[in-house]
Amino acid sequence: MTDGSGFRMDRQERDYMQHLFGKHISHGQVRYLRCAHLDVYERLRRGATFTDAVSGRQFFDCFSSAGCFNVGRGNEIIRDALKCALDGHDMGSHLLLSEHKVRFATKLSSLCPGDLNKVVLCASGADACAGAIKLAKGATGRNDVITMNKAYHGHEGYSLSANGKDYYKELFLPLMPGFHIVDFNDLEAVRRLASKDIAAIVLEPIQGEGGIHVATTEYIRGLRKICDEHGIMLIFDEVQTGFGRTGTLWAMEHYGVTPDIMFTAKSISGGLYPNGAVVYREIEPLVGYVEANPLFHTSHGGGSDLGCIVSSAVLDYIVENRIWENAAKAGKRFKEGLERIWSENEDCVKEVRGLGLMIGIEYKYEFIGALMADCLAKQGVWAVYSGNAPQVMRFQIPITAGEGEIDELLRRIRAAVKTMRWYLLPLLPLAKVPPIRMLLDNIHVQIIAFNLVRDIEELVLRFVPKK
């Protein structure tokens, strides 16, 4: 078995790889992916697509590892930047100054709105979330934080406590104290909690894991006003929404509002070398706190020389190619196509929403999300439903995708919906019975049922002559 970019893998090799993955990493993850035909092995990662090593089928990557591949899979310019960096650099010491840290921080701050021009280098989105919350708490001297229902900010420490779904948190209670969760886009709920005890309000301008919910302009501007009135730090999580994903360089630009603190990661890596950052306004008490406590948040892996070289190349590529404009144009074409599919399937599709190339389809029942993932995979579309909203299918294709690719993707989605409708003939009437609907929506039942179907498919394939 060879892991070269163009080499194939037969079914026996795939099964052995899954056995080893289950033995040493997680059998549950194998079963979860296998049940929806998402147990693919990536080869020929280029642009908006990759090729499955087993089937040889080309897949559109509509997950983009939750938004890591804004500049495309295997971007040659970013790859060359990393290759050149490896000739004379390593990670570097996280405590030392370096021109690469300075160059990246300068470029990043120059692209941020308003006076967001002070940078804390971090290792990941969760790490940057923790840094942002620590900065707000330390600068204000307050403890409490308001976050949003269905929000997703990471899986550790402050970021886990800031999440808005119990599924991620219930096994690890008690978590960090002082976190208050309110419904997204509910300004009155925030007003009721706002006080001199609140250090920060944290939110994603568009919830990704929560189901592609877009904040209203009234909500964002209302939050800015509340924060100004009470001395609260407004924090935007632009980990998934930043770097052109929504049709502007930053999602905050849709609202004309600058937060006090913003954090980002994922796509700044170019999909090649992880990096992250907190960017904050040059105002008191933020600047004073960091100057007095310069090591309040450090990371051995964040802001490495290699990471900063790659991230600087990513920023150059984004600006030189103005890829946010392509996200706006391609996103409009894609969303209009999905809305036509919605109008033809109103009995099972509830809504299409999003900005740029961060778009979601919400179905009327949770179980349809898992079913659609399976149907899409069979058409060569790698897409997953939202962890905090299983009834919502997320589409976050690399924002370098062209019109022809968008049209082909829409064709495949339409074909997948056509297949799904055959499954729905018996399932939609059954879903109207509450106990049966509970079974259909249960992820454990779905995994068992879909894996059983997959076992039958694999058995049949053993007797089908190879082409």
Side-chain angles (χ1 to χ4, degrees), residues 429-441:
L430 290 172
K432 297 182 184 300
V433 182
I436 296 179
R437 179 178 172 181
M438 288 180 63
L439 282 174
L440 291 172
D441 287 343

Side-chain angles (χ1 to χ4, degrees), residues 49 54 120 127 210 241 295 336 343 396 448 461:
T49 67
V54 180
V120 178
D127 183 42
T241 57
L295 299 180
E336 288 174 350
S343 68
Q396 292 176 248
I448 292 170
L461 285 173

Side-chain angles (χ1 to χ4, degrees), residues 38-152:
L38 296 176
D39 54 331
V40 296
Y41 292 82
E42 299 171 292
R43 299 287 190 271
L44 299 174
R45 310 165 197 201
R46 296 290 183 270
T49 67
F50 64 84
T51 299
D52 174 33
V54 180
S55 66
R57 172 182 287 164
Q58 185 186 70
F59 278 77
F60 280 104
D61 185 356
C62 289
F63 182 50
S64 291
S65 198
C68 287
F69 301 119
N70 283 15
V71 297
R73 306 296 306 265
N75 185 299
E76 291 292 341
I77 293 174
I78 312 304
R79 286 162 64 101
D80 287 344
L82 178 57
K83 289 177 184 177
C84 290
L86 288 168
D87 286 340
H89 300 83
D90 54 18
M91 291 175 63
S93 172
H94 74 289
L95 281 177
L96 293 180
L97 310 182
S98 89
E99 62 271 34
H100 306 297
K101 293 182 176 76
V102 172
R103 194 171 295 127
F104 168 56
T106 301
K107 287 182 181 181
L108 177 61
S109 61
S110 72
L111 296 174
C112 293
D115 54 352
L116 282 168
N117 53 21
K118 305 285 282 185
V119 177
V120 178
L121 299 171
C122 303
S124 66
D127 183 42
C129 177
I133 292 174
K134 287 163 65 178
L135 174 56
K137 284 172 169 272
T140 63
R142 305 173 184 180
N143 183 62
D144 289 12
V145 176
I146 297 174
T147 64
M148 307 299 149
N149 188 27
K150 296 184 179 180
Y152 177 81

Side-chain angles (χ1 to χ4, degrees), residues 84-292:
C84 290
L86 288 168
D87 286 340
H89 300 83
D90 54 18
M91 291 175 63
S93 172
H94 74 289
L95 281 177
L96 293 180
L97 310 182
S98 89
E99 62 271 34
H100 306 297
K101 293 182 176 76
V102 172
R103 194 171 295 127
F104 168 56
T106 301
K107 287 182 181 181
L108 177 61
S109 61
S110 72
L111 296 174
C112 293
D115 54 352
L116 282 168
N117 53 21
K118 305 285 282 185
V119 177
V120 178
L121 299 171
C122 303
S124 66
D127 183 42
C129 177
I133 292 174
K134 287 163 65 178
L135 174 56
K137 284 172 169 272
T140 63
R142 305 173 184 180
N143 183 62
D144 289 12
V145 176
I146 297 174
T147 64
M148 307 299 149
N149 188 27
K150 296 184 179 180
Y152 177 81
H153 300 291
H155 279 286
E156 57 190 59
Y158 280 129
S159 65
L160 181 61
S161 299
N163 280 348
K165 188 173 182 180
D166 291 340
Y167 171 79
Y168 294 114
K169 302 188 292 186
E170 57 192 7
L171 293 177
F172 311 106
L173 299 174
L175 297 174
M176 299 290 187
F179 281 82
H180 308 275
I181 297 176
V182 299
D183 285 341
F184 191 67
N185 274 329
D186 187 345
L187 198 57
E188 289 305 313
V190 176
R191 283 199 179 100
R192 287 192 293 270
L193 286 173
S195 72
K196 298 299 182 181
D197 295 322
I198 302 297
I201 298 172
V202 185
L203 74 153
E204 309 149 273
I206 303 175
Q207 290 188 326
E209 191 80 2
I212 314 296
H213 293 286
V214 182
T216 65
T217 300
E218 177 187 15
Y219 184 61
I220 296 294
R221 293 181 179 176
L223 291 178
R224 178 71 275 175
K225 184 177 179 181
I226 290 171
C227 288
D228 291 341
E229 290 172 350
H230 295 275
I232 298 169
M233 296 294 128
L234 181 60
I235 302 177
F236 284 171
D237 176 344
E238 291 254 15
V239 170
Q240 289 194 49
T241 57
F243 302 110
R245 168 61 57 185
T246 69
T248 53
L249 188 56
W250 305 102
M252 68 181 84
E253 295 179 64
H254 291 288
Y255 306 99
V257 170
T258 301
D260 300 296
I261 304 169
M262 177 268 287
F263 61 94
T264 190
K266 289 193 185 296
S267 63
I268 193 57
S269 69
L272 291 173
Y273 202 100
N275 209 359
V278 173
V279 189
Y280 62 97
R281 295 175 63 199
E282 195 167 3
I283 59 171
E284 294 298 341
L286 298 175
V287 173
Y289 177 77
V290 177
E291 290 300 317

